[in-house]
Amino acid sequence: MELRQLRYFVEVAEREHVSEAAVALHVAQSAISRQIANLEAELGVELFEREGRNVRLTHIGKIFLTHTKTALKAIDHAKKQIDEYIDPERGSIKIGFPTSLASNFLPSVVSAFKKLHPKIGFQLRQGSYNFLIESVENRELDVAFLGPVFTEHPDIIGDVLFEENFYALVPRSHPLADAKSVDFKELYNEDFVLFPEGFILHQLVIDGCENAGFTPRVTSEGEDLDAIKGLVAAGIGITLLPESAFNDLNSDYSVKVAIKNPELTRTVGLIIPKHRRLAPSEQVFYDFVKYYFANKSR
């Protein structure tokens, strides 16, 4: 069994088309077909069912694909570690982040790190809360920023970097626009603009409102921060967002108001895999981030 056979197999399995896989891999279609046939002969099973020009994984092919992808990720990670032990300053890090940390938090961290380690590269991926967790678990991401961050998980280490408050975002024409703060319970009769159900910021706001004694009336939803801020600016309703989401606020259209009695907060942190050793460049970044925020808090 050869490594190239496994890579050919994965490409064909994901595309379900041999000729498309050949184009993506820049090899002849006949070469891929031959290597797949050799792999099937060695395993003694058929991995694909042929359907005209297309192919479909057999049941055993699906099982083999799952294990093959895991094995290839482990091999790629091992090669990356070897390359980086030779020169740790030329590594590349796959970092995940949520939309709420995209506008200011992530640029400030990455730019500060790049000043010290200019040759280390980044592959950045924005994603939902559950996507980021799963991607660190299955090696799609090396590290990820998360808010809130958990500290107990069977497969992931979570480090809290800081805690931040939520604020109410209200239209400039709203009666609360000139207030320095508002009691949480006073928001019970407002129309809310939130992320859709399933988004972590949706659940945090729902939980916060219920802890304050009411269920929010959600009249509109947006799937990104710009959409939500735009709906608030248009006077559709109010929303609650963590402090790090307010860096690009246009005060001509909407206003940030502190919430008290009770405050609503979340932790922000970094997650890494628990059972896989970080590559040198990843370890350098991980240590930098913890040092960066430890000193910033002082």
Side-chain angles (χ1 to χ4, degrees):
M1 191 179 303
E2 299 178 8
L3 189 58
R4 65 172 174 170
Q5 290 176 334
L6 299 179
R7 296 196 188 279
Y8 289 0
F9 163 71
V10 170
E11 195 71 33
V12 173
E14 292 184 338
R15 295 179 181 275
E16 297 186 336
H17 204 286
V18 176
S19 61
E20 290 181 5
V23 172
L25 292 167
H26 306 290
V27 297
Q29 181 176 334
S30 58
I32 291 183
S33 297
R34 183 170 60 255
Q35 293 301 327
I36 294 294
N38 292 342
L39 181 61
E40 290 178 320
E42 181 176 348
L43 294 172
V45 297
E46 288 190 351
L47 299 172
F48 294 101
E49 297 174 349
R50 278 68 181 177
E51 299 179 359
R53 295 184 177 183
N54 292 81
V55 294
R56 297 283 187 275
L57 283 169
T58 61
H59 174 69
I60 194 64
K62 293 177 181 179
I63 295 174
F64 188 66
L65 176 64
T66 298
H67 292 291
T68 299
K69 291 173 73 173
T70 299
L72 289 176
K73 287 176 185 176
I75 291 170
D76 290 341
H77 180 70
K79 184 178 184 304
K80 178 181 178 182
Q81 284 197 315
I82 292 171
D83 292 341
E84 292 186 16
Y85 274 113
I86 297 171
D87 186 358
E89 290 296 324
R90 292 186 180 274
S92 179
I93 311 169
K94 292 179 288 187
I95 301 174
F97 63 96
T99 182
S100 61
L101 298 177
S103 61
N104 184 68
F105 171 90
L106 188 70
S108 65
V109 173
V110 171
S111 61
F113 180 80
K114 291 290 283 182
K115 289 178 181 178
L116 299 176
H117 306 279
K119 294 182 180 179
I120 294 180
F122 292 99
Q123 298 176 45
L124 301 175
R125 178 70 185 273
Q126 182 177 320
S128 67
Y129 191 79
N130 290 331
F131 168 83
L132 295 174
I133 296 170
E134 291 169 3
S135 295
V136 171
E137 284 183 296
N138 64 26
R139 301 185 183 226
E140 296 292 336
L141 293 171
D142 301 319
V143 300
F145 292 105
L146 210 61
V149 64
F150 44 78
T151 54
E152 293 185 11
H153 191 283
D155 300 310
I156 288 177
I157 297 172
D159 288 285
V160 175
L161 301 174
F162 61 89
E163 186 174 65
E164 63 178 351
N165 290 328
F166 276 67
Y167 289 77
L169 180 66
V170 304
R172 168 55 70 182
S173 58
H174 195 281
L176 289 173
D178 295 324
K180 290 184 178 180
S181 64
V182 58
D183 280 7
F184 211 138
K185 61 185 178 182
E186 293 180 35
L187 303 176
Y188 78 97
N189 203 32
E190 299 287 344
D191 291 333
F192 277 77
V193 179
L194 298 183
F195 283 90
E197 188 173 348
F199 283 66
I200 189 64
L201 288 181
H202 173 98
Q203 194 58 51
L204 289 175
V205 173
I206 296 293
D207 291 345
C209 291
E210 291 181 346
N211 287 338
F214 67 95
T215 299
R217 184 172 64 242
V218 182
T219 59
S220 300
E221 295 180 340
E223 294 192 357
D224 58 63
L225 280 174
D226 287 339
I228 288 175
K229 290 177 181 178
L231 290 170
V232 172
I236 302 300
I238 73 166
T239 194
L240 308 183
L241 294 172
E243 186 172 11
S244 56
F246 285 96
N247 294 289
D248 57 351
L249 179 64
N250 188 335
S251 58
D252 290 337
Y253 299 102
S254 51
V255 179
K256 168 178 139 183
V257 180
I259 303 170
K260 61 179 184 178
N261 299 326
E263 294 181 336
L264 177 60
T265 65
R266 73 164 180 177
T267 56
V268 174
L270 189 66
I271 61 172
I272 61 171
K274 182 177 289 185
H275 306 297
R276 174 175 64 80
R277 185 176 181 179
L278 295 178
S281 63
E282 299 163 14
Q283 187 67 52
V284 168
F285 181 75
Y286 177 66
D287 292 339
F288 167 83
V289 171
K290 291 198 295 181
Y291 176 83
Y292 179 84
F293 283 99
N295 281 271
K296 198 169 184 179
S297 64
R298 297 194 190 106

